[in-house]
């Protein structure tokens, strides 16, 4: 039995839940069926190249599962490193043009590892205001001095770094996950070099989509392999698997192995996920046209949406966002699309730094013209008054 006082410990959660409900910010888990892809169109997931169910990828996962078992069995420094992890790190670094790589259990963990190990009490981190939550949390946990600058504002980065004599990092997404716009990496790198600062780029949405053959935004900007550039990537988007990695100079990776707590104290990535990511990477290397195909589909999606009257963003990679009048409207719009068989993302505060709610759509390399057309028709048909025209899509 529990006394009355213990039953009231979490009463404050009810008030918080009511505030979320009134603001239209309630989030819910919606388990999907395994065969959903056969019936619905997925414009919400990040499987940009359509590889999560590719036979070469699932076959590599099965082979790894049979050989290495279900789990890594320990942290990477104890028993959690396998030959698969080493092969993936070597091939991922070579593909992206960096000296070395370190695989972690998620892209989130990769960002925390990079920023906490490379930052510190004596460091300055200059962070773009539009950065992903994992970068924001990495900045907070680093214990460094943090300066947040306006989105994609290169002069603001320069001003924040001006006169700095101690260790400094500039941190930015390569492609911002809300609107799908690309960071001005080619302009930002010289600013960092002039100030003696490292550039840390989260290339989660660039790998497999941007650069020659999908080698990422750092390769597209001519920064891959630079001695003052570090990139983080996720294995769960274009590579259709799970996990993350940090790419950079060998001495940076060695430092992370010895100092990055999200690496040292976390169980290693499951072998099946490492095997799947390696299979996807090798497939992308054989089929570099996949990167151009997903970009083409994103552009086609944007053009169809804007022609139908939607306020859509021009994509720099695979993400297209469509502005909604309010959080509640965005939720209803996404639900109506889902009921029509088209799954779309719904981004609301606090996920959007500018406070504007959106439908977030992701293109894939395996989408057909008919599927693009159907998706736009259903999105426009489900649009609330004033959010889109009633054109043919």
């Amino acid at each position: 039995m529990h006394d009355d006082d213990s039953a009231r410990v979490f009463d404050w959660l009810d008030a918080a839940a009511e505030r979320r409900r009134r603001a239209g910010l309630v989030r819910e888990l919606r388990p999907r069926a395994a065969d959903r892809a056969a019936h619905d169109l997925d414009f919400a997931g990040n499987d940009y190249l359509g590889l999560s169910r590719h036979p070469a990828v699932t076959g590599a996962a099965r082979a790894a599962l049979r050989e290495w078992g279900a789990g890594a069995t320990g942290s990477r420094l104890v028993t959690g490193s396998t030959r698969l992890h080493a092969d993936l790190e070597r091939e991922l670094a070579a593909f992206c043009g960096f000296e070395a790589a370190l695989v972690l259990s998620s892209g989130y963990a990769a960002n925390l590892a990079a920023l906490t190990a490379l930052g510190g009490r004596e460091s300055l981190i200059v962070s773009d205001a539009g950065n992903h939550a994992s970068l924001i949390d990495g900045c907070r946990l680093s214990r460094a001095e943090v300066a947040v600058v306006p989105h994609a504002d290169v002069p603001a980065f320069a001003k924040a770094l001006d006169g700095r004599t101690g260790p400094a990092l500039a941190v930015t997404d390569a492609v911002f996950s809300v609107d799908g716009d690309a960071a001005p990496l080619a302009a930002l790198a010289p600013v960092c070099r002039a100030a003696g600062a490292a550039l840390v780029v989260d290339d989660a949405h660039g790998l497999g989509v941007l650069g020659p053959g999908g080698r990422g935004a750092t390769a597209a900007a001519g920064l891959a392999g630079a001695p003052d550039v570090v990139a983080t990537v996720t294995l769960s988007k274009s590579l259709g698997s799970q996990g993350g990695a940090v790419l950079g100079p060998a001495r940076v990776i060695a430092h992370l192995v010895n100092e990055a707590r999200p690496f040292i104290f976390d169980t290693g990535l499951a072998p099946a996920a490492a095997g799947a990511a390696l299979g996807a990477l090798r497939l992308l290397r054989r089929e570099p046209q996949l990167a151009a195909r997903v970009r083409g589909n994103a552009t086609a999606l944007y053009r169809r949406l804007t022609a139908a009257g939607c306020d859509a963003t021009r994509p720099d990679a695979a993400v297209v966002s469509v502005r909604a009048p309010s959080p509640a409207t965005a939720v209803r719009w996404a639900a109506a699309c889902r009921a029509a068989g088209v799954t779309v993302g719904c981004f609301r505060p606090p996920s959007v730094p500018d406070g504007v709610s959106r439908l977030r759509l992701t293109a894939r390399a395996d989408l057909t013209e008919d599927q693009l057309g159907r998706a736009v028709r259903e999105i426009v048909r489900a649009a609330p008054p004033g959010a889109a025209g009633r054109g043919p899509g």
Side-chain angles (χ1 to χ4, degrees), residues 16-62:
E18 178 60 19
R19 287 194 297 270
R20 287 195 297 270
R21 187 192 66 78
R22 290 179 178 179
L25 299 178
V26 176
R27 287 161 169 78
E28 298 177 353
L29 293 172
R30 295 188 182 90
R32 60 182 174 88
D35 62 348
R36 185 190 66 172
H39 309 289
D40 296 344
L41 293 178
D42 179 11
F43 281 80
N46 295 319
D47 186 15
Y48 296 143
L49 304 184
L51 299 184
S52 66
R53 290 177 176 269
H54 192 286
V57 177
T58 57
R62 284 194 299 271

Side-chain angles (χ1 to χ4, degrees), residues 61-107:
R62 284 194 299 271
L65 183 65
R66 286 193 299 268
E67 182 172 1
W68 298 101
T73 76
S75 67
R76 290 287 310 277
L77 290 171
V78 182
T79 59
S81 289
T82 70
R83 174 180 48 77
L84 280 175
H85 293 83
D87 290 348
L88 177 57
E89 287 166 343
R90 183 179 63 256
E91 294 190 29
L92 187 61
F95 179 78
C96 294
F98 285 87
E99 191 173 11
L102 185 67
V103 166
L104 293 94
S105 60
S106 71

Side-chain angles (χ1 to χ4, degrees), residues 112-329:
L112 295 187
L115 294 182
T116 56
L118 297 177
R121 293 189 187 278
E122 305 302 320
S123 301
L124 168 68
I125 300 178
V126 184
S127 177
D128 190 291
N131 279 344
H132 187 265
S134 57
L135 292 176
I136 294 170
D137 290 351
C139 289
R140 291 170 176 168
L141 291 170
S142 72
R143 297 176 295 177
E145 175 188 352
V146 179
V148 179
V149 297
H151 177 50
D153 189 334
V154 175
F157 271 95
K159 183 177 180 180
L161 291 168
D162 185 43
R164 181 71 182 184
T165 56
L169 310 171
V171 181
T172 182
D173 279 323
V175 177
F176 294 89
S177 60
V178 174
D179 272 338
D181 57 316
L185 297 181
L188 186 56
V191 166
C192 294
R193 285 172 183 155
L199 176 59
V200 178
V201 179
D202 179 353
D203 210 2
H205 299 276
L207 177 64
V209 179
L210 299 179
R215 284 169 169 78
T218 52
L223 299 175
D228 54 354
V229 174
V230 172
T232 61
V233 297
T234 178
L235 312 177
S236 61
K237 294 180 173 60
S238 287
L239 299 185
S241 182
Q242 191 78 21
V246 183
L247 312 171
R251 60 180 176 172
V252 168
I253 301 306
H255 179 72
L256 265 62
V257 169
N258 286 276
E259 299 291 340
R261 294 171 66 87
F263 172 80
I264 296 170
F265 297 106
D266 193 18
T267 298
L269 183 66
L278 187 56
L281 181 64
R282 289 169 175 172
L283 191 152
L284 176 57
R285 200 165 54 215
R286 296 192 302 270
E287 301 183 21
Q289 71 276 8
L290 289 172
R293 194 176 300 157
V294 69
R295 294 196 304 270
N297 281 343
T299 299
L301 181 61
Y302 160 76
R303 289 175 176 167
R304 287 172 181 258
L305 287 166
T306 53
C310 292
D311 184 7
T313 57
R314 183 184 297 274
D316 287 330
V319 174
V320 179
S321 77
V322 182
R323 293 194 166 206
S326 69
T329 301

